[in-house]
Amino acid sequence: MSMNAEPRVAVVVVAAGSGTRLGAELPKAFVRLDGPTLLERSLYSVRGMRHVADPVLVVPADRVEEASAIAVAVFGRPVSVVPGGATRQQSVAAGLAVLADGVEVVLVHDAARALTSSGLFDAVVAAVDETGHGVIPGLPVSDTIKRVADDGTVHETVDRSTLAAVQTPQGFPRDQLLAAYAAATTDETDDAGLVAAAGFAVTVVPGEALAFKITTPHDLQRAHDLLAPASASEPPQLPRIGLGTDTHAFDPSAELWLAGLHWPDEPGLSGHSDGDAACHAIVDALLGAAGLGDIGGTFGTGDPRFAGAHGEVFLTETRRLVEEAGLRIGNVSVQIIGQRPKFAPRRREAEELLSGILGAPVSIAATTTDGLGFTGRSEGIAVFATALLH
């Protein structure tokens, strides 16, 4: 992905259900589960994807403002939020109508499946890319299934070896999903049904037990039990904090890359890669918080693969290592110290870029030292970064 490319993956999160069967007095996606709402927990999974994804939220009309605030808190930036329709199919259609132009793969996910892992989202995207058609996660049916008449009479036992309990997210090439919705004449229970009815192939990939749908009070209790510690004596898992720092001298012969952005007409920073001190400090903070060493030990300067590499390369791989260690990024705070470049006009651009790469909010501040020290003499830039992992 280029430094300024739009995400090629979008996730339409359907959260417009009423919550009637859950017995709640508010829409189901806004019911809290041990603190966060079901919607928030679903968005955490989207944020944790290795594939940078553009979320689209479909919510009740009177919850658009609330959902927008939740999305900003999770992603650190505004996202598309639209009111849903009278049926699930109409709600998904409303989300599809606001997809960004660069989106190639669309995932549709029910917010009620709030414990679905980021890994399942990524697996569906990878399968769509590999097959070129629709992909849905599913689990084998373990119960014996009977076909029963209206009066309760058993007609036959259904061969369960050919059955799968389907989950979300369901993923599709954008053009196939849009074509299926354009051709729809009846309501289907899921998006795969529409796509198959339009003549496109759909295959099943392994789902996961945690992707169950929270529909009834029993489901909500089950989710609560899964989130609870294994025993009362088990201590809670505390967040982990890491501090990173990096310093580079100015090199007029190099291009300046800082906080993932290119700065034309500014002297660059010396270094084995692109000298992006901000990205390097973030990497050290993340690795330190995860107990995975530091940037030098992980991306040695003797490795030719990283010669001239941009900060995005290091951040993407660091995020993978952190998540592979069973952790997720909560947020990152960065402080840039130097006389130049003038950072404020591009702060928002840098924050959005880095937040997208890491799948977590990144905030950046910049200051000077009133002419003191090497940064005050415009000899280089120093950066400090703090990262919070869960």
Side-chain angles (χ1 to χ4, degrees), residues 338-378:
Q339 297 295 118
R340 58 191 309 177
K342 188 176 177 61
F343 196 82
R346 302 188 71 186
R347 174 183 288 111
R348 185 63 175 171
E349 180 184 0
E351 290 177 337
E352 290 183 355
L353 173 66
L354 298 182
S355 296
I357 295 171
L358 295 178
V362 176
S363 58
I364 307 175
T367 188
T368 67
T369 56
D370 292 333
L372 299 176
F374 75 93
T375 56
R377 294 190 297 270
S378 292

PDB file of all heavy atoms in Angstrom, residues 338-378:
ATOM      1  N   GLY A 338      11.692  19.867  17.585  1.00  0.00           N
ATOM      2  CA  GLY A 338      12.558  20.408  16.532  1.00  0.00           C
ATOM      3  C   GLY A 338      12.072  21.757  16.046  1.00  0.00           C
ATOM      4  O   GLY A 338      10.921  22.136  16.280  1.00  0.00           O
ATOM      5  N   GLN A 339      12.938  22.457  15.359  1.00  0.00           N
ATOM      6  CA  GLN A 339      12.605  23.778  14.810  1.00  0.00           C
ATOM      7  C   GLN A 339      11.831  23.671  13.500  1.00  0.00           C
ATOM      8  O   GLN A 339      11.107  24.599  13.147  1.00  0.00           O
ATOM      9  CB  GLN A 339      13.891  24.584  14.586  1.00  0.00           C
ATOM     10  CG  GLN A 339      14.695  24.904  15.854  1.00  0.00           C
ATOM     11  CD  GLN A 339      13.928  25.810  16.789  1.00  0.00           C
ATOM     12  OE1 GLN A 339      13.624  25.428  17.922  1.00  0.00           O
ATOM     13  NE2 GLN A 339      13.573  26.991  16.327  1.00  0.00           N
ATOM     14  N   ARG A 340      12.014  22.583  12.782  1.00  0.00           N
ATOM     15  CA  ARG A 340      11.370  22.388  11.494  1.00  0.00           C
ATOM     16  C   ARG A 340      11.128  20.897  11.299  1.00  0.00           C
ATOM     17  O   ARG A 340      11.773  20.075  11.975  1.00  0.00           O
ATOM     18  CB  ARG A 340      12.222  22.981  10.376  1.00  0.00           C
ATOM     19  CG  ARG A 340      13.630  22.419  10.288  1.00  0.00           C
ATOM     20  CD  ARG A 340      14.526  23.184   9.372  1.00  0.00           C
ATOM     21  NE  ARG A 340      13.922  23.381   8.055  1.00  0.00           N
ATOM     22  CZ  ARG A 340      14.509  24.095   7.072  1.00  0.00           C
ATOM     23  NH1 ARG A 340      15.660  24.707   7.304  1.00  0.00           N
ATOM     24  NH2 ARG A 340      13.939  24.214   5.902  1.00  0.00           N
ATOM     25  N   PRO A 341      10.181  20.524  10.441  1.00  0.00           N
ATOM     26  CA  PRO A 341       9.287  21.367   9.659  1.00  0.00           C
ATOM     27  C   PRO A 341       8.157  21.931  10.516  1.00  0.00           C
ATOM     28  O   PRO A 341       7.979  21.498  11.658  1.00  0.00           O
ATOM     29  CB  PRO A 341       8.723  20.389   8.625  1.00  0.00           C
ATOM     30  CG  PRO A 341       8.664  19.092   9.381  1.00  0.00           C
ATOM     31  CD  PRO A 341       9.909  19.084  10.238  1.00  0.00           C
ATOM     32  N   LYS A 342       7.390  22.875   9.949  1.00  0.00           N
ATOM     33  CA  LYS A 342       6.214  23.402  10.643  1.00  0.00           C
ATOM     34  C   LYS A 342       5.147  22.319  10.617  1.00  0.00           C
ATOM     35  O   LYS A 342       4.552  22.042   9.570  1.00  0.00           O
ATOM     36  CB  LYS A 342       5.731  24.679   9.965  1.00  0.00           C
ATOM     37  CG  LYS A 342       4.631  25.412  10.738  1.00  0.00           C
ATOM     38  CD  LYS A 342       4.278  26.719  10.051  1.00  0.00           C
ATOM     39  CE  LYS A 342       3.131  27.433  10.752  1.00  0.00           C
ATOM     40  NZ  LYS A 342       3.434  27.785  12.134  1.00  0.00           N
ATOM     41  N   PHE A 343       4.898  21.711  11.772  1.00  0.00           N
ATOM     42  CA  PHE A 343       4.125  20.480  11.798  1.00  0.00           C
ATOM     43  C   PHE A 343       2.610  20.684  11.886  1.00  0.00           C
ATOM     44  O   PHE A 343       1.836  19.885  11.355  1.00  0.00           O
ATOM     45  CB  PHE A 343       4.580  19.613  12.985  1.00  0.00           C
ATOM     46  CG  PHE A 343       4.124  18.186  12.887  1.00  0.00           C
ATOM     47  CD1 PHE A 343       4.822  17.276  12.105  1.00  0.00           C
ATOM     48  CD2 PHE A 343       2.985  17.749  13.552  1.00  0.00           C
ATOM     49  CE1 PHE A 343       4.396  15.951  11.992  1.00  0.00           C
ATOM     50  CE2 PHE A 343       2.553  16.441  13.448  1.00  0.00           C
ATOM     51  CZ  PHE A 343       3.264  15.539  12.672  1.00  0.00           C
ATOM     52  N   ALA A 344       2.184  21.730  12.549  1.00  0.00           N
ATOM     53  CA  ALA A 344       0.756  21.912  12.850  1.00  0.00           C
ATOM     54  C   ALA A 344      -0.163  21.789  11.626  1.00  0.00           C
ATOM     55  O   ALA A 344      -1.224  21.149  11.722  1.00  0.00           O
ATOM     56  CB  ALA A 344       0.537  23.250  13.546  1.00  0.00           C
ATOM     57  N   PRO A 345       0.191  22.363  10.454  1.00  0.00           N
ATOM     58  CA  PRO A 345      -0.744  22.279   9.313  1.00  0.00           C
ATOM     59  C   PRO A 345      -1.013  20.847   8.837  1.00  0.00           C
ATOM     60  O   PRO A 345      -2.021  20.597   8.191  1.00  0.00           O
ATOM     61  CB  PRO A 345      -0.022  23.090   8.227  1.00  0.00           C
ATOM     62  CG  PRO A 345       0.867  24.028   8.979  1.00  0.00           C
ATOM     63  CD  PRO A 345       1.333  23.242  10.158  1.00  0.00           C
ATOM     64  N   ARG A 346      -0.100  19.901   9.160  1.00  0.00           N
ATOM     65  CA  ARG A 346      -0.289  18.539   8.662  1.00  0.00           C
ATOM     66  C   ARG A 346      -0.496  17.529   9.799  1.00  0.00           C
ATOM     67  O   ARG A 346      -0.431  16.323   9.577  1.00  0.00           O
ATOM     68  CB  ARG A 346       0.916  18.121   7.812  1.00  0.00           C
ATOM     69  CG  ARG A 346       1.181  19.032   6.632  1.00  0.00           C
ATOM     70  CD  ARG A 346       2.253  18.469   5.717  1.00  0.00           C
ATOM     71  NE  ARG A 346       1.770  17.309   4.981  1.00  0.00           N
ATOM     72  CZ  ARG A 346       2.565  16.554   4.181  1.00  0.00           C
ATOM     73  NH1 ARG A 346       3.848  16.859   4.062  1.00  0.00           N
ATOM     74  NH2 ARG A 346       2.071  15.517   3.548  1.00  0.00           N
ATOM     75  N   ARG A 347      -0.733  18.045  11.013  1.00  0.00           N
ATOM     76  CA  ARG A 347      -0.884  17.139  12.156  1.00  0.00           C
ATOM     77  C   ARG A 347      -2.031  16.142  11.927  1.00  0.00           C
ATOM     78  O   ARG A 347      -1.872  14.940  12.141  1.00  0.00           O
ATOM     79  CB  ARG A 347      -1.143  17.935  13.437  1.00  0.00           C
ATOM     80  CG  ARG A 347      -1.469  17.020  14.642  1.00  0.00           C
ATOM     81  CD  ARG A 347      -1.803  17.809  15.882  1.00  0.00           C
ATOM     82  NE  ARG A 347      -0.622  18.435  16.442  1.00  0.00           N
ATOM     83  CZ  ARG A 347      -0.373  19.738  16.449  1.00  0.00           C
ATOM     84  NH1 ARG A 347      -1.253  20.569  15.898  1.00  0.00           N
ATOM     85  NH2 ARG A 347       0.717  20.212  16.987  1.00  0.00           N
ATOM     86  N   ARG A 348      -3.171  16.650  11.537  1.00  0.00           N
ATOM     87  CA  ARG A 348      -4.342  15.781  11.360  1.00  0.00           C
ATOM     88  C   ARG A 348      -4.066  14.714  10.299  1.00  0.00           C
ATOM     89  O   ARG A 348      -4.423  13.550  10.467  1.00  0.00           O
ATOM     90  CB  ARG A 348      -5.558  16.622  10.960  1.00  0.00           C
ATOM     91  CG  ARG A 348      -6.861  15.834  10.857  1.00  0.00           C
ATOM     92  CD  ARG A 348      -7.254  15.249  12.199  1.00  0.00           C
ATOM     93  NE  ARG A 348      -8.547  14.589  12.146  1.00  0.00           N
ATOM     94  CZ  ARG A 348      -9.037  13.856  13.118  1.00  0.00           C
ATOM     95  NH1 ARG A 348      -8.349  13.696  14.229  1.00  0.00           N
ATOM     96  NH2 ARG A 348     -10.229  13.290  12.995  1.00  0.00           N
ATOM     97  N   GLU A 349      -3.421  15.102   9.214  1.00  0.00           N
ATOM     98  CA  GLU A 349      -3.099  14.161   8.141  1.00  0.00           C
ATOM     99  C   GLU A 349      -2.200  13.035   8.671  1.00  0.00           C
ATOM    100  O   GLU A 349      -2.427  11.860   8.378  1.00  0.00           O
ATOM    101  CB  GLU A 349      -2.398  14.911   7.004  1.00  0.00           C
ATOM    102  CG  GLU A 349      -2.010  14.034   5.823  1.00  0.00           C
ATOM    103  CD  GLU A 349      -1.224  14.802   4.771  1.00  0.00           C
ATOM    104  OE1 GLU A 349      -0.990  16.023   4.969  1.00  0.00           O
ATOM    105  OE2 GLU A 349      -0.836  14.182   3.777  1.00  0.00           O
ATOM    106  N   ALA A 350      -1.195  13.409   9.458  1.00  0.00           N
ATOM    107  CA  ALA A 350      -0.275  12.412  10.010  1.00  0.00           C
ATOM    108  C   ALA A 350      -0.980  11.500  10.997  1.00  0.00           C
ATOM    109  O   ALA A 350      -0.778  10.272  10.997  1.00  0.00           O
ATOM    110  CB  ALA A 350       0.906  13.106  10.677  1.00  0.00           C
ATOM    111  N   GLU A 351      -1.834  12.074  11.844  1.00  0.00           N
ATOM    112  CA  GLU A 351      -2.543  11.263  12.834  1.00  0.00           C
ATOM    113  C   GLU A 351      -3.464  10.245  12.164  1.00  0.00           C
ATOM    114  O   GLU A 351      -3.540   9.085  12.594  1.00  0.00           O
ATOM    115  CB  GLU A 351      -3.342  12.166  13.772  1.00  0.00           C
ATOM    116  CG  GLU A 351      -2.467  12.982  14.719  1.00  0.00           C
ATOM    117  CD  GLU A 351      -3.263  13.927  15.592  1.00  0.00           C
ATOM    118  OE1 GLU A 351      -4.410  14.285  15.202  1.00  0.00           O
ATOM    119  OE2 GLU A 351      -2.748  14.344  16.644  1.00  0.00           O
ATOM    120  N   GLU A 352      -4.163  10.661  11.118  1.00  0.00           N
ATOM    121  CA  GLU A 352      -5.070   9.748  10.423  1.00  0.00           C
ATOM    122  C   GLU A 352      -4.289   8.628   9.740  1.00  0.00           C
ATOM    123  O   GLU A 352      -4.701   7.460   9.762  1.00  0.00           O
ATOM    124  CB  GLU A 352      -5.915  10.512   9.406  1.00  0.00           C
ATOM    125  CG  GLU A 352      -6.951  11.435  10.042  1.00  0.00           C
ATOM    126  CD  GLU A 352      -7.829  12.117   9.011  1.00  0.00           C
ATOM    127  OE1 GLU A 352      -7.549  11.941   7.805  1.00  0.00           O
ATOM    128  OE2 GLU A 352      -8.779  12.818   9.407  1.00  0.00           O
ATOM    129  N   LEU A 353      -3.142   8.976   9.130  1.00  0.00           N
ATOM    130  CA  LEU A 353      -2.339   7.974   8.445  1.00  0.00           C
ATOM    131  C   LEU A 353      -1.822   6.934   9.425  1.00  0.00           C
ATOM    132  O   LEU A 353      -1.991   5.714   9.238  1.00  0.00           O
ATOM    133  CB  LEU A 353      -1.167   8.640   7.736  1.00  0.00           C
ATOM    134  CG  LEU A 353      -0.140   7.689   7.108  1.00  0.00           C
ATOM    135  CD1 LEU A 353      -0.760   6.904   5.977  1.00  0.00           C
ATOM    136  CD2 LEU A 353       1.087   8.444   6.634  1.00  0.00           C
ATOM    137  N   LEU A 354      -1.178   7.378  10.509  1.00  0.00           N
ATOM    138  CA  LEU A 354      -0.588   6.450  11.468  1.00  0.00           C
ATOM    139  C   LEU A 354      -1.664   5.653  12.216  1.00  0.00           C
ATOM    140  O   LEU A 354      -1.471   4.474  12.511  1.00  0.00           O
ATOM    141  CB  LEU A 354       0.296   7.212  12.452  1.00  0.00           C
ATOM    142  CG  LEU A 354       1.499   7.937  11.828  1.00  0.00           C
ATOM    143  CD1 LEU A 354       2.329   8.619  12.901  1.00  0.00           C
ATOM    144  CD2 LEU A 354       2.361   6.975  11.023  1.00  0.00           C
ATOM    145  N   SER A 355      -2.801   6.283  12.514  1.00  0.00           N
ATOM    146  CA  SER A 355      -3.901   5.560  13.167  1.00  0.00           C
ATOM    147  C   SER A 355      -4.399   4.427  12.277  1.00  0.00           C
ATOM    148  O   SER A 355      -4.716   3.335  12.756  1.00  0.00           O
ATOM    149  CB  SER A 355      -5.054   6.517  13.497  1.00  0.00           C
ATOM    150  OG  SER A 355      -4.662   7.497  14.434  1.00  0.00           O
ATOM    151  N   GLY A 356      -4.469   4.678  10.978  1.00  0.00           N
ATOM    152  CA  GLY A 356      -4.909   3.647  10.043  1.00  0.00           C
ATOM    153  C   GLY A 356      -3.938   2.485   9.972  1.00  0.00           C
ATOM    154  O   GLY A 356      -4.337   1.323   9.912  1.00  0.00           O
ATOM    155  N   ILE A 357      -2.632   2.783   9.983  1.00  0.00           N
ATOM    156  CA  ILE A 357      -1.624   1.720   9.908  1.00  0.00           C
ATOM    157  C   ILE A 357      -1.656   0.856  11.162  1.00  0.00           C
ATOM    158  O   ILE A 357      -1.579  -0.368  11.089  1.00  0.00           O
ATOM    159  CB  ILE A 357      -0.223   2.333   9.715  1.00  0.00           C
ATOM    160  CG1 ILE A 357      -0.125   3.051   8.352  1.00  0.00           C
ATOM    161  CG2 ILE A 357       0.858   1.262   9.825  1.00  0.00           C
ATOM    162  CD1 ILE A 357       1.138   3.863   8.178  1.00  0.00           C
ATOM    163  N   LEU A 358      -1.787   1.489  12.320  1.00  0.00           N
ATOM    164  CA  LEU A 358      -1.719   0.759  13.583  1.00  0.00           C
ATOM    165  C   LEU A 358      -3.085   0.239  14.047  1.00  0.00           C
ATOM    166  O   LEU A 358      -3.150  -0.557  14.977  1.00  0.00           O
ATOM    167  CB  LEU A 358      -1.115   1.655  14.673  1.00  0.00           C
ATOM    168  CG  LEU A 358       0.348   2.059  14.462  1.00  0.00           C
ATOM    169  CD1 LEU A 358       0.809   2.978  15.578  1.00  0.00           C
ATOM    170  CD2 LEU A 358       1.246   0.827  14.391  1.00  0.00           C
ATOM    171  N   GLY A 359      -4.164   0.717  13.439  1.00  0.00           N
ATOM    172  CA  GLY A 359      -5.482   0.286  13.873  1.00  0.00           C
ATOM    173  C   GLY A 359      -5.828   0.771  15.259  1.00  0.00           C
ATOM    174  O   GLY A 359      -6.584   0.121  15.988  1.00  0.00           O
ATOM    175  N   ALA A 360      -5.296   1.921  15.643  1.00  0.00           N
ATOM    176  CA  ALA A 360      -5.523   2.483  16.976  1.00  0.00           C
ATOM    177  C   ALA A 360      -5.249   3.982  16.918  1.00  0.00           C
ATOM    178  O   ALA A 360      -4.510   4.460  16.057  1.00  0.00           O
ATOM    179  CB  ALA A 360      -4.612   1.815  18.001  1.00  0.00           C
ATOM    180  N   PRO A 361      -5.853   4.757  17.827  1.00  0.00           N
ATOM    181  CA  PRO A 361      -5.650   6.206  17.809  1.00  0.00           C
ATOM    182  C   PRO A 361      -4.177   6.590  18.041  1.00  0.00           C
ATOM    183  O   PRO A 361      -3.533   6.075  18.959  1.00  0.00           O
ATOM    184  CB  PRO A 361      -6.530   6.706  18.962  1.00  0.00           C
ATOM    185  CG  PRO A 361      -7.526   5.617  19.189  1.00  0.00           C
ATOM    186  CD  PRO A 361      -6.825   4.342  18.867  1.00  0.00           C
ATOM    187  N   VAL A 362      -3.688   7.476  17.216  1.00  0.00           N
ATOM    188  CA  VAL A 362      -2.347   8.041  17.373  1.00  0.00           C
ATOM    189  C   VAL A 362      -2.493   9.559  17.470  1.00  0.00           C
ATOM    190  O   VAL A 362      -3.098  10.184  16.595  1.00  0.00           O
ATOM    191  CB  VAL A 362      -1.428   7.696  16.184  1.00  0.00           C
ATOM    192  CG1 VAL A 362      -0.070   8.391  16.341  1.00  0.00           C
ATOM    193  CG2 VAL A 362      -1.244   6.190  16.078  1.00  0.00           C
ATOM    194  N   SER A 363      -1.984  10.149  18.533  1.00  0.00           N
ATOM    195  CA  SER A 363      -2.000  11.608  18.685  1.00  0.00           C
ATOM    196  C   SER A 363      -0.571  12.119  18.622  1.00  0.00           C
ATOM    197  O   SER A 363       0.352  11.489  19.148  1.00  0.00           O
ATOM    198  CB  SER A 363      -2.653  12.002  20.014  1.00  0.00           C
ATOM    199  OG  SER A 363      -1.969  11.412  21.105  1.00  0.00           O
ATOM    200  N   ILE A 364      -0.389  13.262  17.971  1.00  0.00           N
ATOM    201  CA  ILE A 364       0.950  13.809  17.759  1.00  0.00           C
ATOM    202  C   ILE A 364       0.981  15.261  18.202  1.00  0.00           C
ATOM    203  O   ILE A 364       0.081  16.051  17.882  1.00  0.00           O
ATOM    204  CB  ILE A 364       1.363  13.728  16.273  1.00  0.00           C
ATOM    205  CG1 ILE A 364       1.202  12.291  15.753  1.00  0.00           C
ATOM    206  CG2 ILE A 364       2.807  14.192  16.091  1.00  0.00           C
ATOM    207  CD1 ILE A 364       1.476  12.151  14.263  1.00  0.00           C
ATOM    208  N   ALA A 365       2.008  15.626  18.945  1.00  0.00           N
ATOM    209  CA  ALA A 365       2.254  17.010  19.328  1.00  0.00           C
ATOM    210  C   ALA A 365       3.663  17.377  18.868  1.00  0.00           C
ATOM    211  O   ALA A 365       4.530  16.515  18.736  1.00  0.00           O
ATOM    212  CB  ALA A 365       2.116  17.201  20.835  1.00  0.00           C
ATOM    213  N   ALA A 366       3.894  18.650  18.619  1.00  0.00           N
ATOM    214  CA  ALA A 366       5.214  19.114  18.196  1.00  0.00           C
ATOM    215  C   ALA A 366       5.570  20.378  18.968  1.00  0.00           C
ATOM    216  O   ALA A 366       4.706  21.214  19.247  1.00  0.00           O
ATOM    217  CB  ALA A 366       5.245  19.380  16.687  1.00  0.00           C
ATOM    218  N   THR A 367       6.842  20.503  19.324  1.00  0.00           N
ATOM    219  CA  THR A 367       7.293  21.670  20.086  1.00  0.00           C
ATOM    220  C   THR A 367       8.726  22.001  19.710  1.00  0.00           C
ATOM    221  O   THR A 367       9.402  21.235  19.004  1.00  0.00           O
ATOM    222  CB  THR A 367       7.188  21.396  21.605  1.00  0.00           C
ATOM    223  OG1 THR A 367       7.444  22.602  22.319  1.00  0.00           O
ATOM    224  CG2 THR A 367       8.177  20.325  22.041  1.00  0.00           C
ATOM    225  N   THR A 368       9.192  23.140  20.176  1.00  0.00           N
ATOM    226  CA  THR A 368      10.590  23.552  19.988  1.00  0.00           C
ATOM    227  C   THR A 368      11.255  23.645  21.358  1.00  0.00           C
ATOM    228  O   THR A 368      10.613  23.463  22.388  1.00  0.00           O
ATOM    229  CB  THR A 368      10.672  24.910  19.294  1.00  0.00           C
ATOM    230  OG1 THR A 368      10.137  25.911  20.177  1.00  0.00           O
ATOM    231  CG2 THR A 368       9.873  24.919  17.998  1.00  0.00           C
ATOM    232  N   THR A 369      12.546  23.930  21.353  1.00  0.00           N
ATOM    233  CA  THR A 369      13.277  24.080  22.624  1.00  0.00           C
ATOM    234  C   THR A 369      13.790  25.507  22.802  1.00  0.00           C
ATOM    235  O   THR A 369      14.783  25.730  23.492  1.00  0.00           O
ATOM    236  CB  THR A 369      14.454  23.096  22.681  1.00  0.00           C
ATOM    237  OG1 THR A 369      15.297  23.303  21.539  1.00  0.00           O
ATOM    238  CG2 THR A 369      13.958  21.659  22.692  1.00  0.00           C
ATOM    239  N   ASP A 370      13.102  26.476  22.170  1.00  0.00           N
ATOM    240  CA  ASP A 370      13.483  27.889  22.308  1.00  0.00           C
ATOM    241  C   ASP A 370      14.948  28.118  21.984  1.00  0.00           C
ATOM    242  O   ASP A 370      15.656  28.877  22.672  1.00  0.00           O
ATOM    243  CB  ASP A 370      13.182  28.393  23.724  1.00  0.00           C
ATOM    244  CG  ASP A 370      11.690  28.472  24.007  1.00  0.00           C
ATOM    245  OD1 ASP A 370      10.930  28.655  23.033  1.00  0.00           O
ATOM    246  OD2 ASP A 370      11.288  28.328  25.169  1.00  0.00           O
ATOM    247  N   GLY A 371      15.447  27.442  20.955  1.00  0.00           N
ATOM    248  CA  GLY A 371      16.816  27.653  20.507  1.00  0.00           C
ATOM    249  C   GLY A 371      17.867  26.905  21.285  1.00  0.00           C
ATOM    250  O   GLY A 371      19.059  27.020  20.996  1.00  0.00           O
ATOM    251  N   LEU A 372      17.476  26.094  22.268  1.00  0.00           N
ATOM    252  CA  LEU A 372      18.445  25.387  23.100  1.00  0.00           C
ATOM    253  C   LEU A 372      18.755  24.007  22.521  1.00  0.00           C
ATOM    254  O   LEU A 372      17.883  23.322  21.985  1.00  0.00           O
ATOM    255  CB  LEU A 372      17.911  25.222  24.515  1.00  0.00           C
ATOM    256  CG  LEU A 372      17.604  26.519  25.281  1.00  0.00           C
ATOM    257  CD1 LEU A 372      16.981  26.190  26.639  1.00  0.00           C
ATOM    258  CD2 LEU A 372      18.874  27.338  25.468  1.00  0.00           C
ATOM    259  N   GLY A 373      20.010  23.580  22.669  1.00  0.00           N
ATOM    260  CA  GLY A 373      20.406  22.249  22.267  1.00  0.00           C
ATOM    261  C   GLY A 373      20.479  22.050  20.764  1.00  0.00           C
ATOM    262  O   GLY A 373      20.292  22.979  19.969  1.00  0.00           O
ATOM    263  N   PHE A 374      20.778  20.781  20.354  1.00  0.00           N
ATOM    264  CA  PHE A 374      20.949  20.515  18.923  1.00  0.00           C
ATOM    265  C   PHE A 374      19.658  20.714  18.153  1.00  0.00           C
ATOM    266  O   PHE A 374      19.674  21.131  16.987  1.00  0.00           O
ATOM    267  CB  PHE A 374      21.493  19.102  18.711  1.00  0.00           C
ATOM    268  CG  PHE A 374      20.494  17.997  18.901  1.00  0.00           C
ATOM    269  CD1 PHE A 374      19.774  17.508  17.819  1.00  0.00           C
ATOM    270  CD2 PHE A 374      20.267  17.455  20.152  1.00  0.00           C
ATOM    271  CE1 PHE A 374      18.849  16.498  17.996  1.00  0.00           C
ATOM    272  CE2 PHE A 374      19.342  16.433  20.330  1.00  0.00           C
ATOM    273  CZ  PHE A 374      18.629  15.951  19.258  1.00  0.00           C
ATOM    274  N   THR A 375      18.487  20.423  18.792  1.00  0.00           N
ATOM    275  CA  THR A 375      17.227  20.655  18.086  1.00  0.00           C
ATOM    276  C   THR A 375      16.983  22.151  17.920  1.00  0.00           C
ATOM    277  O   THR A 375      16.483  22.592  16.880  1.00  0.00           O
ATOM    278  CB  THR A 375      16.055  20.016  18.849  1.00  0.00           C
ATOM    279  OG1 THR A 375      16.020  20.517  20.189  1.00  0.00           O
ATOM    280  CG2 THR A 375      16.196  18.498  18.882  1.00  0.00           C
ATOM    281  N   GLY A 376      17.338  22.934  18.942  1.00  0.00           N
ATOM    282  CA  GLY A 376      17.178  24.393  18.855  1.00  0.00           C
ATOM    283  C   GLY A 376      18.078  25.019  17.810  1.00  0.00           C
ATOM    284  O   GLY A 376      17.750  26.071  17.254  1.00  0.00           O
ATOM    285  N   ARG A 377      19.221  24.373  17.546  1.00  0.00           N
ATOM    286  CA  ARG A 377      20.150  24.877  16.517  1.00  0.00           C
ATOM    287  C   ARG A 377      19.806  24.320  15.137  1.00  0.00           C
ATOM    288  O   ARG A 377      20.581  24.488  14.190  1.00  0.00           O
ATOM    289  CB  ARG A 377      21.579  24.485  16.889  1.00  0.00           C
ATOM    290  CG  ARG A 377      22.109  25.153  18.169  1.00  0.00           C
ATOM    291  CD  ARG A 377      23.607  24.916  18.335  1.00  0.00           C
ATOM    292  NE  ARG A 377      23.908  23.494  18.501  1.00  0.00           N
ATOM    293  CZ  ARG A 377      23.958  22.866  19.674  1.00  0.00           C
ATOM    294  NH1 ARG A 377      23.693  23.550  20.791  1.00  0.00           N
ATOM    295  NH2 ARG A 377      24.256  21.584  19.742  1.00  0.00           N
ATOM    296  N   SER A 378      18.677  23.644  15.029  1.00  0.00           N
ATOM    297  CA  SER A 378      18.213  23.045  13.758  1.00  0.00           C
ATOM    298  C   SER A 378      19.216  22.046  13.191  1.00  0.00           C
ATOM    299  O   SER A 378      19.397  21.935  11.978  1.00  0.00           O
ATOM    300  CB  SER A 378      17.912  24.134  12.720  1.00  0.00           C
ATOM    301  OG  SER A 378      16.805  24.901  13.093  1.00  0.00           O
TER     302      SER A 378
END
